PDB file of all heavy atoms in Angstrom:
ATOM      1  N   SER A   1      -4.370  12.715  -4.996  1.00  0.00           N
ATOM      2  CA  SER A   1      -4.281  14.132  -5.318  1.00  0.00           C
ATOM      3  C   SER A   1      -2.870  14.413  -5.807  1.00  0.00           C
ATOM      4  O   SER A   1      -2.013  13.496  -5.686  1.00  0.00           O
ATOM      5  CB  SER A   1      -4.659  15.000  -4.135  1.00  0.00           C
ATOM      6  OG  SER A   1      -3.707  14.823  -2.983  1.00  0.00           O
ATOM      7  N   ALA A   2      -2.632  15.551  -6.409  1.00  0.00           N
ATOM      8  CA  ALA A   2      -1.390  15.744  -7.084  1.00  0.00           C
ATOM      9  C   ALA A   2      -0.980  17.231  -7.119  1.00  0.00           C
ATOM     10  O   ALA A   2      -1.885  18.179  -7.048  1.00  0.00           O
ATOM     11  CB  ALA A   2      -1.379  15.295  -8.459  1.00  0.00           C
ATOM     12  N   PHE A   3       0.307  17.547  -7.114  1.00  0.00           N
ATOM     13  CA  PHE A   3       0.774  18.795  -7.580  1.00  0.00           C
ATOM     14  C   PHE A   3       0.815  18.775  -9.115  1.00  0.00           C
ATOM     15  O   PHE A   3       1.704  18.131  -9.657  1.00  0.00           O
ATOM     16  CB  PHE A   3       2.233  19.181  -7.025  1.00  0.00           C
ATOM     17  CG  PHE A   3       2.083  19.774  -5.646  1.00  0.00           C
ATOM     18  CD1 PHE A   3       1.046  19.817  -4.920  1.00  0.00           C
ATOM     19  CD2 PHE A   3       3.333  20.313  -5.163  1.00  0.00           C
ATOM     20  CE1 PHE A   3       1.057  20.369  -3.597  1.00  0.00           C
ATOM     21  CE2 PHE A   3       3.387  20.906  -3.876  1.00  0.00           C
ATOM     22  CZ  PHE A   3       2.230  20.927  -3.101  1.00  0.00           C
ATOM     23  N   ALA A   4      -0.117  19.334  -9.756  1.00  0.00           N
ATOM     24  CA  ALA A   4      -0.399  19.041 -11.180  1.00  0.00           C
ATOM     25  C   ALA A   4       0.666  19.589 -12.070  1.00  0.00           C
ATOM     26  O   ALA A   4       0.662  19.383 -13.348  1.00  0.00           O
ATOM     27  CB  ALA A   4      -1.720  19.498 -11.620  1.00  0.00           C
ATOM     28  N   GLY A   5       1.683  20.203 -11.548  1.00  0.00           N
ATOM     29  CA  GLY A   5       2.835  20.683 -12.449  1.00  0.00           C
ATOM     30  C   GLY A   5       3.679  19.553 -12.925  1.00  0.00           C
ATOM     31  O   GLY A   5       4.591  19.830 -13.805  1.00  0.00           O
ATOM     32  N   LEU A   6       3.521  18.389 -12.440  1.00  0.00           N
ATOM     33  CA  LEU A   6       4.322  17.192 -12.830  1.00  0.00           C
ATOM     34  C   LEU A   6       3.624  16.550 -14.003  1.00  0.00           C
ATOM     35  O   LEU A   6       2.496  16.166 -13.979  1.00  0.00           O
ATOM     36  CB  LEU A   6       4.414  16.244 -11.687  1.00  0.00           C
ATOM     37  CG  LEU A   6       5.292  14.991 -11.935  1.00  0.00           C
ATOM     38  CD1 LEU A   6       6.842  15.268 -12.107  1.00  0.00           C
ATOM     39  CD2 LEU A   6       5.116  13.953 -10.853  1.00  0.00           C
ATOM     40  N   SER A   7       4.407  16.349 -15.069  1.00  0.00           N
ATOM     41  CA  SER A   7       3.874  15.600 -16.293  1.00  0.00           C
ATOM     42  C   SER A   7       4.016  14.103 -16.006  1.00  0.00           C
ATOM     43  O   SER A   7       5.055  13.524 -16.205  1.00  0.00           O
ATOM     44  CB  SER A   7       4.622  16.013 -17.599  1.00  0.00           C
ATOM     45  OG  SER A   7       4.379  17.339 -17.919  1.00  0.00           O
ATOM     46  N   ALA A   8       2.895  13.480 -15.580  1.00  0.00           N
ATOM     47  CA  ALA A   8       3.010  12.121 -15.015  1.00  0.00           C
ATOM     48  C   ALA A   8       2.578  11.137 -16.096  1.00  0.00           C
ATOM     49  O   ALA A   8       2.707   9.858 -15.870  1.00  0.00           O
ATOM     50  CB  ALA A   8       2.100  11.993 -13.789  1.00  0.00           C
ATOM     51  N   ASP A   9       2.061  11.541 -17.239  1.00  0.00           N
ATOM     52  CA  ASP A   9       1.554  10.576 -18.250  1.00  0.00           C
ATOM     53  C   ASP A   9       2.795  10.182 -19.138  1.00  0.00           C
ATOM     54  O   ASP A   9       2.821  10.460 -20.394  1.00  0.00           O
ATOM     55  CB  ASP A   9       0.476  11.129 -19.089  1.00  0.00           C
ATOM     56  CG  ASP A   9      -0.164  10.188 -20.009  1.00  0.00           C
ATOM     57  OD1 ASP A   9       0.175   8.910 -19.842  1.00  0.00           O
ATOM     58  OD2 ASP A   9      -0.986  10.554 -20.811  1.00  0.00           O
ATOM     59  N   THR A  10       3.740   9.564 -18.507  1.00  0.00           N
ATOM     60  CA  THR A  10       4.905   8.980 -19.193  1.00  0.00           C
ATOM     61  C   THR A  10       5.064   7.458 -18.783  1.00  0.00           C
ATOM     62  O   THR A  10       4.564   7.160 -17.741  1.00  0.00           O
ATOM     63  CB  THR A  10       6.209   9.703 -18.899  1.00  0.00           C
ATOM     64  OG1 THR A  10       6.507   9.543 -17.474  1.00  0.00           O
ATOM     65  CG2 THR A  10       6.032  11.198 -19.190  1.00  0.00           C
ATOM     66  N   PRO A  11       5.693   6.703 -19.611  1.00  0.00           N
ATOM     67  CA  PRO A  11       5.845   5.284 -19.230  1.00  0.00           C
ATOM     68  C   PRO A  11       6.559   5.175 -17.854  1.00  0.00           C
ATOM     69  O   PRO A  11       6.168   4.279 -16.995  1.00  0.00           O
ATOM     70  CB  PRO A  11       6.695   4.688 -20.326  1.00  0.00           C
ATOM     71  CG  PRO A  11       6.344   5.492 -21.560  1.00  0.00           C
ATOM     72  CD  PRO A  11       6.154   6.847 -21.024  1.00  0.00           C
ATOM     73  N   PHE A  12       7.570   5.983 -17.561  1.00  0.00           N
ATOM     74  CA  PHE A  12       8.252   5.875 -16.301  1.00  0.00           C
ATOM     75  C   PHE A  12       7.282   6.115 -15.125  1.00  0.00           C
ATOM     76  O   PHE A  12       7.194   5.273 -14.197  1.00  0.00           O
ATOM     77  CB  PHE A  12       9.426   6.930 -16.219  1.00  0.00           C
ATOM     78  CG  PHE A  12      10.092   7.081 -14.863  1.00  0.00           C
ATOM     79  CD1 PHE A  12      10.987   6.059 -14.499  1.00  0.00           C
ATOM     80  CD2 PHE A  12       9.623   8.056 -13.959  1.00  0.00           C
ATOM     81  CE1 PHE A  12      11.566   6.209 -13.228  1.00  0.00           C
ATOM     82  CE2 PHE A  12      10.244   8.091 -12.688  1.00  0.00           C
ATOM     83  CZ  PHE A  12      11.208   7.203 -12.448  1.00  0.00           C
ATOM     84  N   TYR A  13       6.562   7.247 -15.125  1.00  0.00           N
ATOM     85  CA  TYR A  13       5.712   7.579 -13.952  1.00  0.00           C
ATOM     86  C   TYR A  13       4.508   6.601 -13.868  1.00  0.00           C
ATOM     87  O   TYR A  13       4.077   6.264 -12.940  1.00  0.00           O
ATOM     88  CB  TYR A  13       5.278   9.004 -14.046  1.00  0.00           C
ATOM     89  CG  TYR A  13       6.238   9.980 -13.468  1.00  0.00           C
ATOM     90  CD1 TYR A  13       6.960  10.837 -14.374  1.00  0.00           C
ATOM     91  CD2 TYR A  13       6.659  10.002 -12.179  1.00  0.00           C
ATOM     92  CE1 TYR A  13       8.033  11.631 -13.882  1.00  0.00           C
ATOM     93  CE2 TYR A  13       7.594  10.825 -11.641  1.00  0.00           C
ATOM     94  CZ  TYR A  13       8.303  11.700 -12.535  1.00  0.00           C
ATOM     95  OH  TYR A  13       9.291  12.531 -12.065  1.00  0.00           O
ATOM     96  N   ASN A  14       3.884   6.214 -15.095  1.00  0.00           N
ATOM     97  CA  ASN A  14       2.803   5.341 -15.035  1.00  0.00           C
ATOM     98  C   ASN A  14       3.099   4.021 -14.402  1.00  0.00           C
ATOM     99  O   ASN A  14       2.331   3.448 -13.619  1.00  0.00           O
ATOM    100  CB  ASN A  14       2.249   5.181 -16.472  1.00  0.00           C
ATOM    101  CG  ASN A  14       1.391   6.388 -16.966  1.00  0.00           C
ATOM    102  OD1 ASN A  14       0.711   7.028 -16.051  1.00  0.00           O
ATOM    103  ND2 ASN A  14       1.380   6.671 -18.186  1.00  0.00           N
ATOM    104  N   ILE A  15       4.294   3.451 -14.728  1.00  0.00           N
ATOM    105  CA  ILE A  15       4.708   2.081 -14.216  1.00  0.00           C
ATOM    106  C   ILE A  15       5.082   2.281 -12.794  1.00  0.00           C
ATOM    107  O   ILE A  15       4.753   1.531 -12.001  1.00  0.00           O
ATOM    108  CB  ILE A  15       5.739   1.512 -15.189  1.00  0.00           C
ATOM    109  CG1 ILE A  15       5.169   1.173 -16.562  1.00  0.00           C
ATOM    110  CG2 ILE A  15       6.337   0.249 -14.538  1.00  0.00           C
ATOM    111  CD1 ILE A  15       6.176   0.785 -17.606  1.00  0.00           C
ATOM    112  N   VAL A  16       6.016   3.231 -12.545  1.00  0.00           N
ATOM    113  CA  VAL A  16       6.683   3.219 -11.165  1.00  0.00           C
ATOM    114  C   VAL A  16       5.523   3.635 -10.171  1.00  0.00           C
ATOM    115  O   VAL A  16       5.498   3.036  -9.101  1.00  0.00           O
ATOM    116  CB  VAL A  16       7.838   4.223 -11.138  1.00  0.00           C
ATOM    117  CG1 VAL A  16       8.336   4.397  -9.721  1.00  0.00           C
ATOM    118  CG2 VAL A  16       8.896   3.762 -12.077  1.00  0.00           C
ATOM    119  N   LEU A  17       4.723   4.648 -10.554  1.00  0.00           N
ATOM    120  CA  LEU A  17       3.666   5.053  -9.551  1.00  0.00           C
ATOM    121  C   LEU A  17       2.678   3.846  -9.408  1.00  0.00           C
ATOM    122  O   LEU A  17       2.140   3.683  -8.304  1.00  0.00           O
ATOM    123  CB  LEU A  17       2.967   6.280 -10.030  1.00  0.00           C
ATOM    124  CG  LEU A  17       3.773   7.571  -9.909  1.00  0.00           C
ATOM    125  CD1 LEU A  17       3.005   8.757 -10.592  1.00  0.00           C
ATOM    126  CD2 LEU A  17       4.005   7.929  -8.549  1.00  0.00           C
ATOM    127  N   GLY A  18       2.387   3.150 -10.439  1.00  0.00           N
ATOM    128  CA  GLY A  18       1.540   2.035 -10.318  1.00  0.00           C
ATOM    129  C   GLY A  18       2.046   0.955  -9.312  1.00  0.00           C
ATOM    130  O   GLY A  18       1.282   0.468  -8.500  1.00  0.00           O
ATOM    131  N   LEU A  19       3.303   0.711  -9.422  1.00  0.00           N
ATOM    132  CA  LEU A  19       3.979  -0.325  -8.571  1.00  0.00           C
ATOM    133  C   LEU A  19       4.020   0.262  -7.100  1.00  0.00           C
ATOM    134  O   LEU A  19       3.685  -0.473  -6.095  1.00  0.00           O
ATOM    135  CB  LEU A  19       5.437  -0.571  -8.882  1.00  0.00           C
ATOM    136  CG  LEU A  19       5.524  -1.304 -10.248  1.00  0.00           C
ATOM    137  CD1 LEU A  19       7.001  -1.403 -10.726  1.00  0.00           C
ATOM    138  CD2 LEU A  19       4.937  -2.671 -10.147  1.00  0.00           C
ATOM    139  N   VAL A  20       4.181   1.547  -6.963  1.00  0.00           N
ATOM    140  CA  VAL A  20       4.118   2.135  -5.620  1.00  0.00           C
ATOM    141  C   VAL A  20       2.749   2.050  -4.992  1.00  0.00           C
ATOM    142  O   VAL A  20       2.526   1.758  -3.781  1.00  0.00           O
ATOM    143  CB  VAL A  20       4.668   3.616  -5.651  1.00  0.00           C
ATOM    144  CG1 VAL A  20       4.375   4.364  -4.338  1.00  0.00           C
ATOM    145  CG2 VAL A  20       6.122   3.631  -5.906  1.00  0.00           C
ATOM    146  N   MET A  21       1.743   2.229  -5.845  1.00  0.00           N
ATOM    147  CA  MET A  21       0.316   2.175  -5.385  1.00  0.00           C
ATOM    148  C   MET A  21      -0.019   0.710  -4.877  1.00  0.00           C
ATOM    149  O   MET A  21      -0.621   0.578  -3.792  1.00  0.00           O
ATOM    150  CB  MET A  21      -0.621   2.639  -6.354  1.00  0.00           C
ATOM    151  CG  MET A  21      -0.689   4.163  -6.693  1.00  0.00           C
ATOM    152  SD  MET A  21      -2.030   4.557  -7.800  1.00  0.00           S
ATOM    153  CE  MET A  21      -1.167   4.425  -9.385  1.00  0.00           C
ATOM    154  N   LEU A  22       0.414  -0.241  -5.663  1.00  0.00           N
ATOM    155  CA  LEU A  22       0.159  -1.628  -5.184  1.00  0.00           C
ATOM    156  C   LEU A  22       0.817  -1.950  -3.851  1.00  0.00           C
ATOM    157  O   LEU A  22       0.248  -2.495  -2.949  1.00  0.00           O
ATOM    158  CB  LEU A  22       0.762  -2.560  -6.182  1.00  0.00           C
ATOM    159  CG  LEU A  22      -0.147  -2.701  -7.503  1.00  0.00           C
ATOM    160  CD1 LEU A  22       0.601  -3.479  -8.580  1.00  0.00           C
ATOM    161  CD2 LEU A  22      -1.448  -3.484  -7.217  1.00  0.00           C
ATOM    162  N   ALA A  23       2.119  -1.513  -3.690  1.00  0.00           N
ATOM    163  CA  ALA A  23       2.821  -1.750  -2.416  1.00  0.00           C
ATOM    164  C   ALA A  23       2.244  -0.930  -1.301  1.00  0.00           C
ATOM    165  O   ALA A  23       2.086  -1.571  -0.118  1.00  0.00           O
ATOM    166  CB  ALA A  23       4.329  -1.448  -2.672  1.00  0.00           C
ATOM    167  N   GLY A  24       1.779   0.267  -1.560  1.00  0.00           N
ATOM    168  CA  GLY A  24       1.214   1.007  -0.455  1.00  0.00           C
ATOM    169  C   GLY A  24      -0.097   0.521   0.021  1.00  0.00           C
ATOM    170  O   GLY A  24      -0.392   0.742   1.172  1.00  0.00           O
ATOM    171  N   ARG A  25      -0.810  -0.124  -0.895  1.00  0.00           N
ATOM    172  CA  ARG A  25      -2.133  -0.700  -0.376  1.00  0.00           C
ATOM    173  C   ARG A  25      -1.983  -2.118   0.144  1.00  0.00           C
ATOM    174  O   ARG A  25      -2.251  -2.359   1.375  1.00  0.00           O
ATOM    175  CB  ARG A  25      -3.125  -0.715  -1.668  1.00  0.00           C
ATOM    176  CG  ARG A  25      -4.402  -1.340  -1.353  1.00  0.00           C
ATOM    177  CD  ARG A  25      -5.260  -0.324  -0.469  1.00  0.00           C
ATOM    178  NE  ARG A  25      -6.748  -0.634  -0.513  1.00  0.00           N
ATOM    179  CZ  ARG A  25      -7.661  -0.049   0.135  1.00  0.00           C
ATOM    180  NH1 ARG A  25      -7.252   0.989   0.943  1.00  0.00           N
ATOM    181  NH2 ARG A  25      -8.911  -0.287   0.080  1.00  0.00           N
ATOM    182  N   PHE A  26      -1.452  -3.124  -0.552  1.00  0.00           N
ATOM    183  CA  PHE A  26      -1.474  -4.473  -0.130  1.00  0.00           C
ATOM    184  C   PHE A  26      -0.295  -4.687   0.718  1.00  0.00           C
ATOM    185  O   PHE A  26      -0.351  -5.715   1.543  1.00  0.00           O
ATOM    186  CB  PHE A  26      -1.488  -5.343  -1.419  1.00  0.00           C
ATOM    187  CG  PHE A  26      -2.707  -5.155  -2.250  1.00  0.00           C
ATOM    188  CD1 PHE A  26      -2.653  -4.463  -3.461  1.00  0.00           C
ATOM    189  CD2 PHE A  26      -3.931  -5.605  -1.765  1.00  0.00           C
ATOM    190  CE1 PHE A  26      -3.835  -4.350  -4.153  1.00  0.00           C
ATOM    191  CE2 PHE A  26      -5.112  -5.363  -2.490  1.00  0.00           C
ATOM    192  CZ  PHE A  26      -5.107  -4.845  -3.683  1.00  0.00           C
ATOM    193  N   GLY A  27       0.805  -3.949   0.582  1.00  0.00           N
ATOM    194  CA  GLY A  27       1.885  -4.143   1.562  1.00  0.00           C
ATOM    195  C   GLY A  27       1.610  -3.774   3.002  1.00  0.00           C
ATOM    196  O   GLY A  27       2.201  -4.203   3.925  1.00  0.00           O
ATOM    197  N   VAL A  28       0.565  -2.949   3.159  1.00  0.00           N
ATOM    198  CA  VAL A  28       0.035  -2.652   4.553  1.00  0.00           C
ATOM    199  C   VAL A  28      -1.079  -3.551   4.921  1.00  0.00           C
ATOM    200  O   VAL A  28      -1.108  -3.924   6.064  1.00  0.00           O
ATOM    201  CB  VAL A  28      -0.462  -1.190   4.515  1.00  0.00           C
ATOM    202  CG1 VAL A  28      -1.044  -0.778   5.873  1.00  0.00           C
ATOM    203  CG2 VAL A  28       0.719  -0.191   4.238  1.00  0.00           C
ATOM    204  N   ILE A  29      -1.846  -3.986   3.985  1.00  0.00           N
ATOM    205  CA  ILE A  29      -3.004  -4.855   4.311  1.00  0.00           C
ATOM    206  C   ILE A  29      -2.499  -6.255   4.857  1.00  0.00           C
ATOM    207  O   ILE A  29      -3.024  -6.755   5.803  1.00  0.00           O
ATOM    208  CB  ILE A  29      -4.005  -5.092   3.093  1.00  0.00           C
ATOM    209  CG1 ILE A  29      -4.848  -3.779   2.936  1.00  0.00           C
ATOM    210  CG2 ILE A  29      -4.857  -6.278   3.289  1.00  0.00           C
ATOM    211  CD1 ILE A  29      -5.708  -3.843   1.705  1.00  0.00           C
ATOM    212  N   LEU A  30      -1.528  -6.745   4.236  1.00  0.00           N
ATOM    213  CA  LEU A  30      -1.037  -8.067   4.580  1.00  0.00           C
ATOM    214  C   LEU A  30      -0.629  -8.165   6.052  1.00  0.00           C
ATOM    215  O   LEU A  30      -0.946  -9.100   6.854  1.00  0.00           O
ATOM    216  CB  LEU A  30       0.139  -8.567   3.672  1.00  0.00           C
ATOM    217  CG  LEU A  30      -0.381  -8.912   2.219  1.00  0.00           C
ATOM    218  CD1 LEU A  30       0.910  -9.148   1.338  1.00  0.00           C
ATOM    219  CD2 LEU A  30      -1.275 -10.078   2.280  1.00  0.00           C
ATOM    220  N   PRO A  31       0.287  -7.219   6.541  1.00  0.00           N
ATOM    221  CA  PRO A  31       0.635  -7.287   7.955  1.00  0.00           C
ATOM    222  C   PRO A  31      -0.537  -7.019   8.914  1.00  0.00           C
ATOM    223  O   PRO A  31      -0.600  -7.493  10.040  1.00  0.00           O
ATOM    224  CB  PRO A  31       1.776  -6.292   8.080  1.00  0.00           C
ATOM    225  CG  PRO A  31       1.712  -5.426   6.852  1.00  0.00           C
ATOM    226  CD  PRO A  31       1.202  -6.282   5.799  1.00  0.00           C
ATOM    227  N   VAL A  32      -1.429  -6.110   8.419  1.00  0.00           N
ATOM    228  CA  VAL A  32      -2.629  -5.930   9.276  1.00  0.00           C
ATOM    229  C   VAL A  32      -3.481  -7.191   9.425  1.00  0.00           C
ATOM    230  O   VAL A  32      -3.833  -7.508  10.604  1.00  0.00           O
ATOM    231  CB  VAL A  32      -3.563  -4.825   8.613  1.00  0.00           C
ATOM    232  CG1 VAL A  32      -4.874  -4.720   9.308  1.00  0.00           C
ATOM    233  CG2 VAL A  32      -2.761  -3.391   8.688  1.00  0.00           C
ATOM    234  N   LEU A  33      -3.635  -7.914   8.418  1.00  0.00           N
ATOM    235  CA  LEU A  33      -4.351  -9.213   8.513  1.00  0.00           C
ATOM    236  C   LEU A  33      -3.587 -10.224   9.309  1.00  0.00           C
ATOM    237  O   LEU A  33      -4.174 -11.011  10.057  1.00  0.00           O
ATOM    238  CB  LEU A  33      -4.687  -9.698   7.118  1.00  0.00           C
ATOM    239  CG  LEU A  33      -5.690  -8.963   6.326  1.00  0.00           C
ATOM    240  CD1 LEU A  33      -5.790  -9.586   4.953  1.00  0.00           C
ATOM    241  CD2 LEU A  33      -7.050  -8.938   6.990  1.00  0.00           C
ATOM    242  N   ALA A  34      -2.302 -10.124   9.226  1.00  0.00           N
ATOM    243  CA  ALA A  34      -1.442 -11.093  10.049  1.00  0.00           C
ATOM    244  C   ALA A  34      -1.643 -10.748  11.481  1.00  0.00           C
ATOM    245  O   ALA A  34      -1.746 -11.638  12.382  1.00  0.00           O
ATOM    246  CB  ALA A  34       0.045 -10.976   9.689  1.00  0.00           C
ATOM    247  N   ILE A  35      -1.686  -9.452  11.892  1.00  0.00           N
ATOM    248  CA  ILE A  35      -1.974  -9.029  13.268  1.00  0.00           C
ATOM    249  C   ILE A  35      -3.313  -9.472  13.711  1.00  0.00           C
ATOM    250  O   ILE A  35      -3.540 -10.022  14.826  1.00  0.00           O
ATOM    251  CB  ILE A  35      -1.811  -7.492  13.418  1.00  0.00           C
ATOM    252  CG1 ILE A  35      -0.394  -7.116  13.176  1.00  0.00           C
ATOM    253  CG2 ILE A  35      -2.290  -7.020  14.807  1.00  0.00           C
ATOM    254  CD1 ILE A  35      -0.159  -5.583  13.116  1.00  0.00           C
ATOM    255  N   ALA A  36      -4.325  -9.353  12.854  1.00  0.00           N
ATOM    256  CA  ALA A  36      -5.585  -9.815  13.128  1.00  0.00           C
ATOM    257  C   ALA A  36      -5.784 -11.222  13.402  1.00  0.00           C
ATOM    258  O   ALA A  36      -6.451 -11.644  14.428  1.00  0.00           O
ATOM    259  CB  ALA A  36      -6.618  -9.443  11.961  1.00  0.00           C
ATOM    260  N   GLY A  37      -5.149 -12.104  12.630  1.00  0.00           N
ATOM    261  CA  GLY A  37      -5.092 -13.475  12.903  1.00  0.00           C
ATOM    262  C   GLY A  37      -4.449 -13.877  14.121  1.00  0.00           C
ATOM    263  O   GLY A  37      -4.822 -14.759  14.906  1.00  0.00           O
ATOM    264  N   SER A  38      -3.316 -13.237  14.354  1.00  0.00           N
ATOM    265  CA  SER A  38      -2.540 -13.568  15.635  1.00  0.00           C
ATOM    266  C   SER A  38      -3.373 -13.117  16.895  1.00  0.00           C
ATOM    267  O   SER A  38      -3.379 -13.891  17.835  1.00  0.00           O
ATOM    268  CB  SER A  38      -1.237 -12.702  15.707  1.00  0.00           C
ATOM    269  OG  SER A  38      -0.479 -12.928  16.806  1.00  0.00           O
ATOM    270  N   LEU A  39      -3.998 -11.989  16.850  1.00  0.00           N
ATOM    271  CA  LEU A  39      -4.814 -11.561  18.126  1.00  0.00           C
ATOM    272  C   LEU A  39      -6.009 -12.431  18.291  1.00  0.00           C
ATOM    273  O   LEU A  39      -6.351 -12.730  19.425  1.00  0.00           O
ATOM    274  CB  LEU A  39      -5.137 -10.131  17.916  1.00  0.00           C
ATOM    275  CG  LEU A  39      -4.033  -9.037  17.982  1.00  0.00           C
ATOM    276  CD1 LEU A  39      -4.590  -7.670  17.778  1.00  0.00           C
ATOM    277  CD2 LEU A  39      -3.285  -9.210  19.284  1.00  0.00           C
ATOM    278  N   ALA A  40      -6.571 -12.861  17.172  1.00  0.00           N
ATOM    279  CA  ALA A  40      -7.749 -13.719  17.263  1.00  0.00           C
ATOM    280  C   ALA A  40      -7.557 -15.038  17.950  1.00  0.00           C
ATOM    281  O   ALA A  40      -8.391 -15.596  18.663  1.00  0.00           O
ATOM    282  CB  ALA A  40      -8.409 -13.914  15.892  1.00  0.00           C
ATOM    283  N   ALA A  41      -6.267 -15.467  17.784  1.00  0.00           N
ATOM    284  CA  ALA A  41      -5.892 -16.761  18.370  1.00  0.00           C
ATOM    285  C   ALA A  41      -5.513 -16.732  19.786  1.00  0.00           C
ATOM    286  O   ALA A  41      -5.348 -17.709  20.482  1.00  0.00           O
ATOM    287  CB  ALA A  41      -4.749 -17.491  17.510  1.00  0.00           C
ATOM    288  N   LYS A  42      -5.369 -15.496  20.276  1.00  0.00           N
ATOM    289  CA  LYS A  42      -4.920 -15.324  21.661  1.00  0.00           C
ATOM    290  C   LYS A  42      -6.051 -15.318  22.713  1.00  0.00           C
ATOM    291  O   LYS A  42      -7.203 -14.784  22.324  1.00  0.00           O
ATOM    292  CB  LYS A  42      -4.130 -14.021  21.820  1.00  0.00           C
ATOM    293  CG  LYS A  42      -2.785 -14.095  21.118  1.00  0.00           C
ATOM    294  CD  LYS A  42      -2.058 -12.924  21.390  1.00  0.00           C
ATOM    295  CE  LYS A  42      -0.636 -12.872  20.740  1.00  0.00           C
ATOM    296  NZ  LYS A  42       0.172 -11.624  21.092  1.00  0.00           N
ATOM    297  N   PRO A  43      -5.953 -15.885  23.745  1.00  0.00           N
ATOM    298  CA  PRO A  43      -7.018 -15.824  24.857  1.00  0.00           C
ATOM    299  C   PRO A  43      -6.989 -14.422  25.382  1.00  0.00           C
ATOM    300  O   PRO A  43      -6.091 -13.692  25.420  1.00  0.00           O
ATOM    301  CB  PRO A  43      -6.563 -16.856  25.902  1.00  0.00           C
ATOM    302  CG  PRO A  43      -5.108 -16.932  25.726  1.00  0.00           C
ATOM    303  CD  PRO A  43      -4.756 -16.701  24.307  1.00  0.00           C
ATOM    304  N   ALA A  44      -8.204 -14.068  25.922  1.00  0.00           N
ATOM    305  CA  ALA A  44      -8.340 -12.726  26.456  1.00  0.00           C
ATOM    306  C   ALA A  44      -7.788 -12.815  27.962  1.00  0.00           C
ATOM    307  O   ALA A  44      -7.956 -13.822  28.582  1.00  0.00           O
ATOM    308  CB  ALA A  44      -9.840 -12.272  26.534  1.00  0.00           C
ATOM    309  N   VAL A  45      -7.242 -11.744  28.340  1.00  0.00           N
ATOM    310  CA  VAL A  45      -6.714 -11.645  29.722  1.00  0.00           C
ATOM    311  C   VAL A  45      -7.370 -10.601  30.522  1.00  0.00           C
ATOM    312  O   VAL A  45      -7.735  -9.434  29.886  1.00  0.00           O
ATOM    313  CB  VAL A  45      -5.119 -11.339  29.676  1.00  0.00           C
ATOM    314  CG1 VAL A  45      -4.348 -12.464  29.037  1.00  0.00           C
ATOM    315  CG2 VAL A  45      -4.871 -10.018  28.984  1.00  0.00           C
ATOM    316  N   PRO A  46      -7.776 -10.757  31.731  1.00  0.00           N
ATOM    317  CA  PRO A  46      -8.506  -9.806  32.467  1.00  0.00           C
ATOM    318  C   PRO A  46      -7.605  -8.570  32.774  1.00  0.00           C
ATOM    319  O   PRO A  46      -6.377  -8.736  32.942  1.00  0.00           O
ATOM    320  CB  PRO A  46      -8.899 -10.488  33.796  1.00  0.00           C
ATOM    321  CG  PRO A  46      -7.801 -11.605  33.889  1.00  0.00           C
ATOM    322  CD  PRO A  46      -7.565 -12.011  32.519  1.00  0.00           C
TER     323      PRO A  46
END
């Protein structure tokens, strides 16, 4: 979603916002999967 008063269809915003979207999605997924793998390898404790 957006505050549509910003003219975002410029090379600056298209490229920078695209890079931010990539980091915001996959930069979070990678550590989440690392946690998943780490916990899966651990034995359960009562």
Side-chain angles (χ1 to χ4, degrees):
S1 62
F3 274 13
L6 181 70
S7 294
D9 188 10
T10 65
F12 172 83
Y13 280 109
N14 282 330
I15 293 172
V16 176
L17 288 174
L19 295 174
V20 169
M21 286 186 273
L22 283 171
R25 181 68 163 179
F26 298 108
V28 174
I29 285 177
L30 288 174
V32 168
L33 291 177
I35 293 172
S38 176
L39 292 177
K42 292 185 177 183
V45 295

